[in-house]
């Protein structure tokens, strides 16, 4: 229960006070009415006594009466009947609202912090009104009149007569039996005679004399002269006077007329409770006017008061001075102490005496007598009938009631101990008589008296109360009494901190018949729960909700709302969604009916924005209600700024902004560059790739350096892009903002008339009507077209929200009704900053300028179309396509460049090649190559510099410049240029990215360049696999001799054999019938293919599926002057009748672009780690190089082929070229570099590979330093019989293959130890010097003349000389033996 | 009519779905009683205390039973008061079963303590219990 202003004791004392009736003469009434007050009202503020009173109890003990209050009412005041009472109470409660800024009481219970109003003044008001309006009951005497004041004005002609009249009238009312209603405590009521004297009017002398007369007649203690109205009403109006009446009258008179006009505003209403001249209720003293009893004393003044209280603020007591107030106060004191208390004392004594005298009789006898003389009561009644206590009534003089009367009197004068004893006795009597109503009353009061006993505190008999309540409610069916009892008991329990019991009691009292009472009691119960030692928050909340529910049923909307709001504090954010939704919904409704649409909207909003677990039907209902409320609110507040809508959920961080037009993707044959579109997902890697490409192309455009101000162009901004700077948008180019809405509800939402809200000057756009399906994301794209340069800020989105239900019958109508317009702001928070320590420790977010573009002056806009662009190619296939550049803006563009991730994939042709634009259609069926008719013969040779093809030695040409006529592409102009494509070497799908770069002709500061992206996907399928091997030719006698014979003046070691294995590995059924090897070309700086040495007959090598062919070529070293230059020698060996000029576009382009030229490639291949290692090992390095050089070839083979493809019953000829790089003699090289493939297989590497240690040149490698060759006659005839010694001259040719000086030791003595060689060699010996030390210069050929001596005919192997070679500048460590030569057999014939 | 929760609901399931709101209120309010009962037991005895709290309070239509794990997770079962077949022992065993399967849910490494329970196994156990009981 909430805290009260009064203490419990005070409250109970004030609930039971001595009642005093007032009977006023007409004149007296007139006197008081000068102050707009009736006599009882006049007295009311002064009814509480400030001083202590004393009286003696039957045992002559002095009882001190403190703070006694008496209640003075007009004799004909009657408590209102039940319906009026309900009305009154409900008014009182509804009027009493919590003050606006009431002191909030924060209760912390567990994890709940509740903000609860500490006091419940409405409940106190209710309680006070309720108790005051309790009808007097016959079973108790507490609110029966103890005394009656008879008031007569001194103005009266004969006041004493008037007193007499009034006295008779009072007697008549009390004793005639006509009236059941004002109940009197005793037959001999105390009559107190008051002479009212109006000072301003009357003659004081006369009044005094009348008073003297009265004193003689009624005794000094039974009369009083009250002088009031010291001044005439109007004069002192300006004087500030305290108005003690306001707080007493205000409740009954000021507000009643306002809220219930039925009661007071219209005097003729039949149900008027105080309309005494209506003969409807015979039980009331309907005073005759002739008897001059004031029939208006209650109604009229109150009516007046009510009227005046509205017209003039303080009309009361205008004729009274402070002195008069004192007079009245004195009068009350006099009356109480001199009149009332002695009267009570006398009565108590009397009653006590009666009781004592009866106590003499034995109890049984007493009860027997009671039975005999019981009169009215019928003890023989069956219990069932008895329980219907309406029938059981004691006569008013019954002895049982005497004791109760005494108890009540004692109680009223605060003699609680005696009262308790009496109540207790009475209770026993009543119970034994089965007089349940009386018993309950006695029990109730006994409990209260026990509680109020201050001296020797008896434990509060709570069970008395419980029994009393139960009896009242169940047996007597008297809810009013039960309620009173309950309120008292709960209050007492509360004061004893038995909150739980109090709550139970209160909850038990909630019934169906009175919503208001139930609501108030439930609320109090809730407060009890929260005030418990361990606060029961949830019970509090639950009962608050129940109370709220009852309040709303009782029509107390404000209270209901308050209850729900308090309960919401508990349920909020605790995942009890159903309950929370219910509360919010009710709050919304109540707020709405109370015209607090903002709160209503907020409450409904809560229901809708949370992830609701309600059913779809429920949600739809919520939504409708929300929209309705929202709409009515927006009608009320015709504000220009639209309110924020909560639905659907707008994911502002996922907003994407796109600058530029939406692209046409394909236009017939033309295929537009893909560029960027909103449909693409953002890919971090990809964007990084584009960024790098752009950086490269910008670097090229700026002659090698990337400007500091460089920023990659971003066309599409999203949450992952860098949004720290303001994006740039171009005038007259649209900005598309994509917003992500999410409907969390299960019901569809209709959004229509979407438009962006932005700061600039208002422009265009509205989107189409969309239906946001339940639970789905919806992307709304809104377009904005800036017309001026400046800064733009996109602020939010405005739209109409409606229910998505489409009624077939009245779809449009319903849609119009349930549709509200509102906005949502787009507030994008940047990424969380996490760089500095400060940022790490606090949560800070960076800015996000996605939606704040800067509009720049017009810029050129390029569109690129590809014509005949294939999607599938064979590996190495060459295809010609066309590309069209169109400037669609009004500004010329320049500096067009393209960068690509796969520069080897395409070429625009070299600068030297003629760019005679053949139209794409005409060129369709021609060969991509430039051809010359020529029969197959010895290779034709041409020299080409790579620079001509835009290839610098250092880098692969990532960026290519696209030539424009005069370097400018004017507005609206288009340019078509051919484009050659070569299928990637590896099969599979390849993603090829093009980045077109262009600039405006005039430099603007903000946007230096623009880019256009294109991504092409090429599917490469397998074609041919080419493997090539080069082998030394000089180990073969035949070849050596041949070359000797030809005497071409070349170096003796200047030729080699090249074997080319070609295999058709095409597996597709796509109809590649066969491949023809058309031509084999070579490209190298040192070597060239010389001629084909294939077996004749297989001129045009065809390769059907899975076939393999072998071609054999002889390669020779280029001429010295050729070799020295940086130029590459292209040698073409055509196998058919047509020679393809490989040194021109596109063949050479692709050759250079594919990065095959050996030297650049080696630089590229060598990993950083390895090169580092090499640098460390100083001299070894040189050795390795030299040794390597010796076996290096650097010969690139280009195999040109044609493929015959059947497609749609048409035969197509596809052309292509494959490249093989020969690097080392004897090592097989492959067109598909298998090594790389192998590397690709190893994907997961957690550690960098350890670079292979730089090995010393291996034996094998060293063995290639020196080539040896023995020249001798194959057979030698010698007449052994004549000459036993046969001497044969043999020349040992030593040629240094390397470019370094080599020390050579030739050892002839060396004999192999193996037995077989012994056998073979037989006996022959070298003559002369057996060991030669020679030094060979680079590339030097040295002939060493030897002589062999044979002793007999036979076959000998001359290959015995051992040759040791070492590099001149290195230590002996490197010295190693040369390979033993092949058996060099010589036949010695004996002639 | 089996519900299980900490102070915020982890899992709520009720058989007649139309009266769900009422059950939510009932369970929520019963938590006060649970807390009262827990705090009623002395601190020293807290370790050995019986997890089963018994009948929390009867309302006009329902009986509310409570159970608290050592980690203060509360289980509440609300049954129709007209249902006489369920004795204290049955309720006790139901709670034990519920606790076991709740432990299983907690053992799931992908379960984030405090999230509403979305486990099929738990669902099915609760369903079978409900079928048996009602």
């Amino acid at each position: 229960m909430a805290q009260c202003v009064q203490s419990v004791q005070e409250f109970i004392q004030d609930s039971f006070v001595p009642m005093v009736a007032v009977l006023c003469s007409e004149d007296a009434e007139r006197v008081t009415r000068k102050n707009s007050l009736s006599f009882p009202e006049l007295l009311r503020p002064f009814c509480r006594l400030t001083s202590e009173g004393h009286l003696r109890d039957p045992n002559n003990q002095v009882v001190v009466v403190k703070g006694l209050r008496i209640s003075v009412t007009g004799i004909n005041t009657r408590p209102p009947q039940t319906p009026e009472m309900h009305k009154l109470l409900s008014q009182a409660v509804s009027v009493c609202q919590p003050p606006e800024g009431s002191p909030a009481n924060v209760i912390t219970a567990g994890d709940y912090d509740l903000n609860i109003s500490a006091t419940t003044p409405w409940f106190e008001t209710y309680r006070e009104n309720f108790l005051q309006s309790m009808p007097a009951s016959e079973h108790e005497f507490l609110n029966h009149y103890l005394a009656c004041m008879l008031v007569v004005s001194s103005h009266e002609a004969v006041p004493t007569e008037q007193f007499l009249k009034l006295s008779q009238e009072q007697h008549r009312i009390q004793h005639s039996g006509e009236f059941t209603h004002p109940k009197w405590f005793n037959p001999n009521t105390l009559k107190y005679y008051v002479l009212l004297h109006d000072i301003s009017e009357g003659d004081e002398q006369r009044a005094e004399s009348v008073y003297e007369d009265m004193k003689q007649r009624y005794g000094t203690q039974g009369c009083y002269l009250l002088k009031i109205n010291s001044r005439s009403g109007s004069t002192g109006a300006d004087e500030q006077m305290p108005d003690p009446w306001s707080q007493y009258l205000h409740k009954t008179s000021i507000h009643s007329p306002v809220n219930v006009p039925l009661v007071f505003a219209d005097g003729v209403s039949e149900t008027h409770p105080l309309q005494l001249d209506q003969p409807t209720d015979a039980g009331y003293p309907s005073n005759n006017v002739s008897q001059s009893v004031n029939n208006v004393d209650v109604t009229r003044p109150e009516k007046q008061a009510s009227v005046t209280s509205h017209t003039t603020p303080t009309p009361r007591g205008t004729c009274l001075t402070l002195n008069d107030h004192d007079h009245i106060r004195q009068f009350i004191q006099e009356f109480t102490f001199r009149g009332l208390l002695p009267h009570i004392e006398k009565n108590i004594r009397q009653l006590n005496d009666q009781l004592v005298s009866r106590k003499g009789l034995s109890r049984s006898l007493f009860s027997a007598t009671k039975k005999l003389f019981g009169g009215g009561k019928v003890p023989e009644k069956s219990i069932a009938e008895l329980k219907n206590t309406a029938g059981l009534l004691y006569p008013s003089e019954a002895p049982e009631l005497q004791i109760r009367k005494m108890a009540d009197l004692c109680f009223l004068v605060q003699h609680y101990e005696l009262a308790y004893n009496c109540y207790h006795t009475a209770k026993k009597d009543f119970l034994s008589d089965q007089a349940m109503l009386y018993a309950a009353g006695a029990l109730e009061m006994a409990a209260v008296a026990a509680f109020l006993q201050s001296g020797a505190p008896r434990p509060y008999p709570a069970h008395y109360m419980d029994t009393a309540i139960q009896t009242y409610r169940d047996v007597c069916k008297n809810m009013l009494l039960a309620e009173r009892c309950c309120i008292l008991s709960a209050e007492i329990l509360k004061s004893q901190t038995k909150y739980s019991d109090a709550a139970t009691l209160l909850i038990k009292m909630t019934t169906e018949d009175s919503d208001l009472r139930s609501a108030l009691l439930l609320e109090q119960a809730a407060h009890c729960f929260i005030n418990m030692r361990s606060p029961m928050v949830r019970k509090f909340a639950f009962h608050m909700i129940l109370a709220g529910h009852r309040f709303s049923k009782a029509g107390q909307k404000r209270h209901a709302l308050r209850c729900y709001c308090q309960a919401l504090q508990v349920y909020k954010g605790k995942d009890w969604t159903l309950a929370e939704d219910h509360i919010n919904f009710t709050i919304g409704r109540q707020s709405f009916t109370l015209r607090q649409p903002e709160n209503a909207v907020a409450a409904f909003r809560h229901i809708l924005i949370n992830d609701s677990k309600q059913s779809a039907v429920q949600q739809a209902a919520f939504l409708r209600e929300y929209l309705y409320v929202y709409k009515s609110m927006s009608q009320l507040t015709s504000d220009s700024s639209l309110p924020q809508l909560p639905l659907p959920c707008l994911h502002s961080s996922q907003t994407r902004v796109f600058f530029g037009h939406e692209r046409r993707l394909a236009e017939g044959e033309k295929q537009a560059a893909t560029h960027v579109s909103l449909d693409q997902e953002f890919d971090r890697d990809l964007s990084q790739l584009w960024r790098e490409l752009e950086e490269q192309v910008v670097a090229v455009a700026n002659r090698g350096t990337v400007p500091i101000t460089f920023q990659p162009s971003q066309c599409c901004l999203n949450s992952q892009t860098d949004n720290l700077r303001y994006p740039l948008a171009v005038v007259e180019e649209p900005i598309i903002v994509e917003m992500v809405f999410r409907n969390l509800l299960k019901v569809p939402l209709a959004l229509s008339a979407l438009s962006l809200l932005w700061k600039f000057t208002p422009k265009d756009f509205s989107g189409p009507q969309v239906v946001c399906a339940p639970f789905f994301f919806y992307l709304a794209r809104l377009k904005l077209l800036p017309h001026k340069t400046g800064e733009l800020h996109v602020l939010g989105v405005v739209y109409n929200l409606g229910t998505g239900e489409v009624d077939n019958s009245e779809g449009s109508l319903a849609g119009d009704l349930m549709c509200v317009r509102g906005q949502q702001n787009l507030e994008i928070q940047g990424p969380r900053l996490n760089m500095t320590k400060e940022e790490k420790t606090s949560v800070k977010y960076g800015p996000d300028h996605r939606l704040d573009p800067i509009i720049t002056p017009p810029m050129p806009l390029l569109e690129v179309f590809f014509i005949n662009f294939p999607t599938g190619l064979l590996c190495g296939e060459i295809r010609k396509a066309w590309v069209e550049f169109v400037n669609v803006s009004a500004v010329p563009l320049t500096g067009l460049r393209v960068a690509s991730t796969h520069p080897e994939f395409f070429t625009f042709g070299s600068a030297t090649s003629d760019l005679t634009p053949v139209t794409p259609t005409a060129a369709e069926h021609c060969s991509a190559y430039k051809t010359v008719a020529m029969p197959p013969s010895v290779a034709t040779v041409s020299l080409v510099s790579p620079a001509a093809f835009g290839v610098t030695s250092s880098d692969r040409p990532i960026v290519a410049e696209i030539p424009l006529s005069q370097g400018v592409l004017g507005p609206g102009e288009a340019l078509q240029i051919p484009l050659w494509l070569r299928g990637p070497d590896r099969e599979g799908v390849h993603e090829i990215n093009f980045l077109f770069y262009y600039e405006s002709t005039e430099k603007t500061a903000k946007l230096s360049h623009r880019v256009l992206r294109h991504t092409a996907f090429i599917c490469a399928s397998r074609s041919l696999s080419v493997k090539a091997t080069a082998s030394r030719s000089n180990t073969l006698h035949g070849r050596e001799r041949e070359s000797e014979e030809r005497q071409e003046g070349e170096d003796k070691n200047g030729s080699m054999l090249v074997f080319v294995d070609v295999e058709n590995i095409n597996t597709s059924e796509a109809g590649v019938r066969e491949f023809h090897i058309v031509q084999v070309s070579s490209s190298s700086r040192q070597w060239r293919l010389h001629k084909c040495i294939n077996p004749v007959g297989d001129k045009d090598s065809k390769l059907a599926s899975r076939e393999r062919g072998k071609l054999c070529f002889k390669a020779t070293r280029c001429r010295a002057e050729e070799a020295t230059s940086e130029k590459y020698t292209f040698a073409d060996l055509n196998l058919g009748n047509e020679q393809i000029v490989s040194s021109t576009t596109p063949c050479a382009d692709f050759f250079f672009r594919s990065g095959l030229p050996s030297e650049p490639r080696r630089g590229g291949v060598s990993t950083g780690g390895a090169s580092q290692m090499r640098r460390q090992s100083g001299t070894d390095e040189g050795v390795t190089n030299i040794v390597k050089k010796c076996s290096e070839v650097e010969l690139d083979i280009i195999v040109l082929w044609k493929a015959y493809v059947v497609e749609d019953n048409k035969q197509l000829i596809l052309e292509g070229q494959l490249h093989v790089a020969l690097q080392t003699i004897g090592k097989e090289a492959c067109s598909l570099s298998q090594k790389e493939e192998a590397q690709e297989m190893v994907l997961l590497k957690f550690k960098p590979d350890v670079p292979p240690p730089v090995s010393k040149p291996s034996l094998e490698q060293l063995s290639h330093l020196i080539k040896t060759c023995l020249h001798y006659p194959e057979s030698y005839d010698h007449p052994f019989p004549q000459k036993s010694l046969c001497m044969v001259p043999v020349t040992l040719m030593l040629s240094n293959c390397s470019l370094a000086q080599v020390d050579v030791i030739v050892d002839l003595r060396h004999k192999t130890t193996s037995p077989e060689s012994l056998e073979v060699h037989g006996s022959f010996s070298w003559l002369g010097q057996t060991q030669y030390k020679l030094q060979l210069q680079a590339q030097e050929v040295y002939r060493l003349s030897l002589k062999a001596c044979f002793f007999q005919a036979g076959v000998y192997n001359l290959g015995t000389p051992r040759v040791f070679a070492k590099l001149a500048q290195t230590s002996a460590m490197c010295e190693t033996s040369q390979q033993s030569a092949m058996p060099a057999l010589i036949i010695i014939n004996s002639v | 009519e089996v519900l299980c929760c900490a102070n915020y609901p982890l899992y709520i399931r009720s058989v007649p779905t139309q009266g769900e709101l009422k059950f939510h209120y009932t369970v929520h309010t019963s938590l006060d009683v649970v807390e009262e009962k827990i705090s009623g037991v002395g601190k020293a005895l807290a370790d050995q205390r019986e997890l089963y709290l018994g009948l929390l309070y009867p309302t006009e239509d329902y009986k509310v039973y409570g159970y608290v794990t050592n980690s203060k997770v509360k289980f509440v079962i609300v049954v129709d008061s007209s249902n006489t077949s369920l004795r204290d022992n049955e309720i006790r065993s139901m709670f034990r079963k519920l606790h076991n399967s709740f432990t299983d849910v907690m053992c799931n490494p992908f379960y984030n303590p405090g999230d509403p329970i979305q486990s099929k196994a738990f669902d099915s156990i609760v369903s079978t219990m409900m079928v048996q009981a009602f």
Side-chain angles (χ1 to χ4, degrees), chain A residues 536 538-539 542 571 574 582, chain B residues 8-9 25 28-29 32 35:
Chain A
M536 296 179 115
R538 288 164 273 256
K539 281 202 159 185
F542 182 60
Y571 284 95
K574 291 281 190 292
H582 168 242
Chain B
Y8 44 92
Y25 276 128
H28 184 252
T29 308
D32 270 338
E35 274 186 4

Side-chain angles (χ1 to χ4, degrees), chain B residues 11 105 117-127:
Chain B
Y11 184 88
V105 171
I117 296 173
Q118 287 167 327
S119 153
K120 277 181 191 160
F122 194 75
D123 268 351
S124 68
I125 287 199
V126 171
S127 302

Side-chain angles (χ1 to χ4, degrees), chain A residues 160-418:
Chain A
T160 42
E161 238 173 69
Q162 197 66 32
F163 275 125
L164 214 60
K165 248 187 188 172
L166 290 179
S167 176
Q168 281 164 2
E169 173 67 16
Q170 191 273 334
H171 193 264
R172 194 179 67 85
I173 289 171
Q174 188 177 2
H175 296 290
S176 71
E178 281 177 53
F179 309 106
T180 56
H181 253 88
K183 299 230 184 239
W184 301 91
F185 202 97
N186 267 351
N188 53 340
T189 310
L190 169 70
K191 286 179 188 147
Y192 198 76
Y193 301 88
V194 180
L195 186 66
L196 196 62
H197 176 65
D198 190 338
I199 295 173
S200 61
E201 280 180 17
D203 180 1
E204 204 165 341
Q205 289 290 318
R206 186 168 167 265
E208 289 290 347
S209 68
V210 173
Y211 180 54
E212 285 303 315
D213 190 22
M214 282 164 66
K215 270 203 246 179
Q216 288 190 351
R217 191 178 294 194
Y218 307 114
T220 46
Q221 300 189 346
C223 56
Y224 195 82
L225 171 65
L226 180 59
K227 297 174 187 174
I228 56 165
N229 290 7
S230 303
R231 57 175 181 187
S232 52
S234 55
T235 53
D238 54 336
E239 205 178 322
Q240 281 295 318
M241 284 287 292
D243 183 8
W245 290 273
S246 58
Q247 57 169 319
Y248 291 94
L249 296 183
H250 133 290
K251 284 163 197 158
T252 49
S253 60
I254 291 186
H255 291 279
S256 328
V258 186
N259 293 306
V260 186
L262 179 75
V263 179
F264 289 116
D266 186 357
V268 293
S269 165
E270 275 188 54
T271 54
H272 199 305
L274 306 169
Q275 195 72 20
L276 296 179
D277 44 8
Q278 293 229 338
T280 46
D281 194 347
Y284 282 84
S286 63
N287 310 313
N288 301 325
V289 183
S290 61
Q291 280 177 305
S292 79
V293 177
N294 42 341
N295 66 327
V296 281
D297 77 333
V298 181
T299 45
R300 281 239 204 101
E302 283 198 344
K303 219 160 153 187
Q304 239 174 11
S306 71
V307 172
T308 49
S309 70
H310 285 283
T311 49
T312 59
T314 52
R316 285 179 295 264
T318 46
C319 298
L320 300 175
T321 59
L322 284 176
N323 244 348
D324 290 338
H325 291 187
D326 283 344
H327 283 154
I328 298 169
R329 200 170 287 124
Q330 260 172 21
F331 159 65
I332 294 289
Q333 207 156 342
E334 191 74 12
F335 163 73
T336 314
F337 293 153
R338 295 282 181 78
L340 189 62
L341 286 182
H343 176 70
I344 290 170
E345 190 180 314
K346 197 176 77 192
N347 271 314
I348 292 174
R349 275 175 199 281
Q350 263 177 18
L351 288 166
N352 192 45
D353 290 347
Q354 281 178 26
L355 290 172
V356 168
S357 65
R358 263 180 226 177
K359 260 184 193 158
L361 304 166
S362 75
R363 190 127 208 114
S364 57
L365 184 62
F366 179 41
S367 56
T369 0
K370 220 168 30 181
K371 273 174 192 164
L372 283 173
F373 305 104
K377 64 176 167 138
V378 193
E380 299 86 39
K381 275 181 181 171
S382 70
I383 290 173
E385 277 174 288
L386 276 174
K387 287 204 167 164
N388 182 11
T389 36
L392 178 64
L393 287 171
Y394 290 101
S396 56
E397 297 308 316
E400 289 86 349
L401 290 189
Q402 301 307 314
I403 196 166
R404 164 84 210 213
K405 270 187 188 171
M406 179 172 158
D408 282 350
L409 280 177
C410 293
F411 187 87
L412 288 177
V413 296
Q414 303 176 0
H415 192 349
Y416 297 116
E417 195 179 343
L418 188 54

Side-chain angles (χ1 to χ4, degrees), chain A residues 1173-1190 1192 1254-1257 1261-1262 1265 1298-1302 1367-1370 1374:
Chain A
M1173 290 291 282
R1174 271 185 207 160
R1175 244 173 273 134
Q1176 284 168 356
S1177 56
T1179 48
D1180 291 353
E1181 164 78 354
V1183 180
T1184 321
N1185 273 346
I1186 289 156
V1187 170
K1188 266 198 183 146
K1189 275 261 173 72
C1190 163
E1192 260 163 18
V1254 177
S1255 58
K1256 284 176 189 153
Q1261 281 174 320
L1262 278 174
L1265 282 174
S1298 70
L1299 292 169
Q1301 274 194 345
V1302 179
L1367 290 170
Q1369 68 269 45
T1370 53
C1374 290

